[in-house]
Amino acid sequence: MWTLQRTLQRTSRSARVGVRFSSDISDMASVVRKHALEPQTSTSLQTLMRTGRGEFLHKTYRDAAWKKDDKVATERVLMQVAGFLRHELPIRLAHRILDLEQVPLLRDMQSVRAVKDLYTTSFRDLLSVPQKVASKQEEAAFADIVESIYERHAGVLVQMVSAFLS
């Protein structure tokens, strides 16, 4: 039987910065389950556009430095977005990991296991980042991680289609 713990063993990685896991794989499984209990944040294109324009900076930053300097505002928008993604992406991945584990006919298919492994690796990568993205350098490092996740997941749709066709 294919379980979350076996997937975590296959995707085990070394030192983490943001979250430290014991050598016990059940520790990671409980982290996935904990994140899956959190609701996913709904968002709209309008909210994403307004965030990109910096219209919500006042909710994250109390000082007014960003109002006077477009460069500071842009950096703060990037940090605000990174903070949202750092919070939200692990929750969404945890939901997908558990979803894939719970589908009886699909969970044993190789292509579905491969997708679940990708999601688990990405989940761990995201948790390796500190929860609060507080500097331009941390935002750049986080952006690199998100870009690698994006590239890693490029073939997920094809993998899932092959699972449904087989």
Side-chain angles (χ1 to χ4, degrees), residues 60-82:
T60 304
Y61 301 102
R62 302 290 180 230
D63 65 347
W66 57 271
K67 291 180 181 177
K68 298 174 187 165
D69 185 353
D70 283 344
K71 184 178 181 202
V72 172
T74 301
E75 289 172 4
R76 294 222 173 152
V77 166
L78 292 173
M79 287 190 295
Q80 186 179 44
V81 170

Short mmCIF file of all heavy atoms in Angstrom, two decimals, residues 60-82:
data_model
loop_
_atom_site.label_atom_id
_atom_site.label_comp_id
_atom_site.label_asym_id
_atom_site.label_seq_id
_atom_site.Cartn_x
_atom_site.Cartn_y
_atom_site.Cartn_z
N THR A 60 0.19 45.34 5.84
CA THR A 60 1.38 44.61 6.29
C THR A 60 2.40 45.54 6.93
O THR A 60 3.03 45.18 7.92
CB THR A 60 2.04 43.88 5.10
OG1 THR A 60 1.07 43.02 4.50
CG2 THR A 60 3.23 43.06 5.55
N TYR A 61 2.57 46.72 6.37
CA TYR A 61 3.59 47.65 6.84
C TYR A 61 2.94 48.90 7.40
O TYR A 61 2.16 49.57 6.74
CB TYR A 61 4.53 48.03 5.69
CG TYR A 61 5.21 46.82 5.10
CD1 TYR A 61 4.78 46.28 3.89
CD2 TYR A 61 6.26 46.20 5.75
CE1 TYR A 61 5.38 45.15 3.35
CE2 TYR A 61 6.87 45.08 5.23
CZ TYR A 61 6.43 44.57 4.03
OH TYR A 61 7.03 43.45 3.51
N ARG A 62 3.30 49.23 8.63
CA ARG A 62 2.69 50.38 9.31
C ARG A 62 3.41 51.69 9.00
O ARG A 62 2.81 52.75 9.08
CB ARG A 62 2.68 50.15 10.83
CG ARG A 62 1.95 48.90 11.25
CD ARG A 62 0.46 49.05 11.03
NE ARG A 62 -0.22 47.84 11.44
CZ ARG A 62 -1.10 47.19 10.69
NH1 ARG A 62 -1.43 47.64 9.52
NH2 ARG A 62 -1.67 46.10 11.13
N ASP A 63 4.70 51.61 8.65
CA ASP A 63 5.44 52.85 8.38
C ASP A 63 5.05 53.39 7.01
O ASP A 63 4.42 52.73 6.21
CB ASP A 63 6.95 52.62 8.47
CG ASP A 63 7.46 51.66 7.41
OD1 ASP A 63 6.64 50.98 6.76
OD2 ASP A 63 8.68 51.58 7.23
N ALA A 64 5.42 54.60 6.75
CA ALA A 64 5.03 55.25 5.49
C ALA A 64 6.17 55.35 4.49
O ALA A 64 6.03 55.99 3.47
CB ALA A 64 4.50 56.65 5.79
N ALA A 65 7.30 54.69 4.75
CA ALA A 65 8.46 54.79 3.86
C ALA A 65 8.12 54.34 2.44
O ALA A 65 8.61 54.91 1.47
CB ALA A 65 9.62 53.97 4.41
N TRP A 66 7.30 53.33 2.31
CA TRP A 66 6.96 52.79 1.00
C TRP A 66 6.13 53.75 0.18
O TRP A 66 6.12 53.68 -1.04
CB TRP A 66 6.25 51.45 1.13
CG TRP A 66 5.01 51.51 1.96
CD1 TRP A 66 4.90 51.34 3.30
CD2 TRP A 66 3.69 51.77 1.50
NE1 TRP A 66 3.60 51.48 3.71
CE2 TRP A 66 2.83 51.73 2.61
CE3 TRP A 66 3.14 52.03 0.24
CZ2 TRP A 66 1.46 51.95 2.52
CZ3 TRP A 66 1.77 52.24 0.15
CH2 TRP A 66 0.96 52.20 1.28
N LYS A 67 5.44 54.71 0.80
CA LYS A 67 4.59 55.65 0.06
C LYS A 67 5.41 56.66 -0.72
O LYS A 67 4.96 57.18 -1.73
CB LYS A 67 3.66 56.39 1.02
CG LYS A 67 2.60 55.50 1.62
CD LYS A 67 1.71 56.29 2.55
CE LYS A 67 0.66 55.39 3.17
NZ LYS A 67 -0.17 56.10 4.12
N LYS A 68 6.64 56.93 -0.26
CA LYS A 68 7.45 57.98 -0.87
C LYS A 68 8.37 57.46 -1.97
O LYS A 68 8.88 58.22 -2.76
CB LYS A 68 8.31 58.66 0.20
CG LYS A 68 7.48 59.33 1.27
CD LYS A 68 8.36 59.85 2.37
CE LYS A 68 7.51 60.36 3.52
NZ LYS A 68 8.23 60.57 4.73
N ASP A 69 8.62 56.16 -1.98
CA ASP A 69 9.64 55.61 -2.87
C ASP A 69 9.08 54.37 -3.58
O ASP A 69 8.77 53.37 -2.95
CB ASP A 69 10.87 55.23 -2.02
CG ASP A 69 12.03 54.75 -2.86
OD1 ASP A 69 11.87 54.58 -4.08
OD2 ASP A 69 13.11 54.53 -2.28
N ASP A 70 8.98 54.47 -4.91
CA ASP A 70 8.43 53.36 -5.68
C ASP A 70 9.27 52.09 -5.54
O ASP A 70 8.74 50.99 -5.53
CB ASP A 70 8.33 53.72 -7.17
CG ASP A 70 7.15 54.62 -7.46
OD1 ASP A 70 6.26 54.72 -6.60
OD2 ASP A 70 7.14 55.23 -8.53
N LYS A 71 10.60 52.25 -5.43
CA LYS A 71 11.47 51.08 -5.30
C LYS A 71 11.18 50.35 -3.98
O LYS A 71 11.09 49.13 -3.95
CB LYS A 71 12.94 51.48 -5.37
CG LYS A 71 13.86 50.30 -5.32
CD LYS A 71 15.31 50.69 -5.44
CE LYS A 71 16.15 49.44 -5.39
NZ LYS A 71 17.49 49.68 -5.00
N VAL A 72 11.03 51.09 -2.91
CA VAL A 72 10.71 50.49 -1.61
C VAL A 72 9.34 49.83 -1.68
O VAL A 72 9.14 48.72 -1.18
CB VAL A 72 10.76 51.55 -0.48
CG1 VAL A 72 10.23 50.98 0.83
CG2 VAL A 72 12.19 52.05 -0.29
N ALA A 73 8.39 50.49 -2.33
CA ALA A 73 7.04 49.92 -2.46
C ALA A 73 7.10 48.61 -3.22
O ALA A 73 6.47 47.62 -2.83
CB ALA A 73 6.11 50.91 -3.14
N THR A 74 7.84 48.56 -4.32
CA THR A 74 7.95 47.34 -5.12
C THR A 74 8.58 46.22 -4.31
O THR A 74 8.09 45.09 -4.33
CB THR A 74 8.77 47.61 -6.39
OG1 THR A 74 8.12 48.64 -7.14
CG2 THR A 74 8.90 46.36 -7.24
N GLU A 75 9.64 46.51 -3.59
CA GLU A 75 10.28 45.49 -2.76
C GLU A 75 9.32 44.99 -1.69
O GLU A 75 9.26 43.80 -1.40
CB GLU A 75 11.55 46.05 -2.11
CG GLU A 75 12.68 46.27 -3.09
CD GLU A 75 13.87 47.01 -2.49
OE1 GLU A 75 13.86 47.30 -1.27
OE2 GLU A 75 14.81 47.29 -3.25
N ARG A 76 8.57 45.88 -1.11
CA ARG A 76 7.62 45.48 -0.07
C ARG A 76 6.46 44.67 -0.65
O ARG A 76 5.96 43.76 -0.01
CB ARG A 76 7.12 46.70 0.69
CG ARG A 76 8.26 47.35 1.46
CD ARG A 76 7.86 47.77 2.80
NE ARG A 76 8.99 48.24 3.59
CZ ARG A 76 8.88 49.11 4.54
NH1 ARG A 76 7.72 49.64 4.83
NH2 ARG A 76 9.93 49.47 5.23
N VAL A 77 6.02 45.01 -1.87
CA VAL A 77 4.98 44.21 -2.51
C VAL A 77 5.50 42.80 -2.72
O VAL A 77 4.81 41.82 -2.41
CB VAL A 77 4.55 44.83 -3.87
CG1 VAL A 77 3.73 43.84 -4.69
CG2 VAL A 77 3.76 46.10 -3.65
N LEU A 78 6.74 42.68 -3.19
CA LEU A 78 7.33 41.35 -3.41
C LEU A 78 7.42 40.57 -2.11
O LEU A 78 7.12 39.37 -2.06
CB LEU A 78 8.71 41.47 -4.07
CG LEU A 78 8.70 41.98 -5.51
CD1 LEU A 78 10.13 42.21 -5.99
CD2 LEU A 78 7.97 41.00 -6.42
N MET A 79 7.82 41.23 -1.03
CA MET A 79 7.92 40.55 0.27
C MET A 79 6.52 40.16 0.78
O MET A 79 6.34 39.10 1.37
CB MET A 79 8.67 41.40 1.29
CG MET A 79 10.17 41.45 1.00
SD MET A 79 11.15 42.19 2.30
CE MET A 79 10.59 43.87 2.28
N GLN A 80 5.54 41.04 0.55
CA GLN A 80 4.17 40.74 0.97
C GLN A 80 3.63 39.53 0.21
O GLN A 80 3.03 38.63 0.81
CB GLN A 80 3.29 41.97 0.74
CG GLN A 80 1.89 41.83 1.29
CD GLN A 80 1.07 43.09 1.05
OE1 GLN A 80 1.11 43.66 -0.04
NE2 GLN A 80 0.33 43.51 2.06
N VAL A 81 3.85 39.49 -1.08
CA VAL A 81 3.40 38.37 -1.89
C VAL A 81 4.14 37.09 -1.48
O VAL A 81 3.53 36.03 -1.35
CB VAL A 81 3.58 38.67 -3.40
CG1 VAL A 81 3.36 37.43 -4.24
CG2 VAL A 81 2.64 39.79 -3.82
N ALA A 82 5.44 37.20 -1.25
CA ALA A 82 6.21 36.03 -0.82
C ALA A 82 5.69 35.51 0.52
O ALA A 82 5.59 34.30 0.72
CB ALA A 82 7.70 36.39 -0.71
#
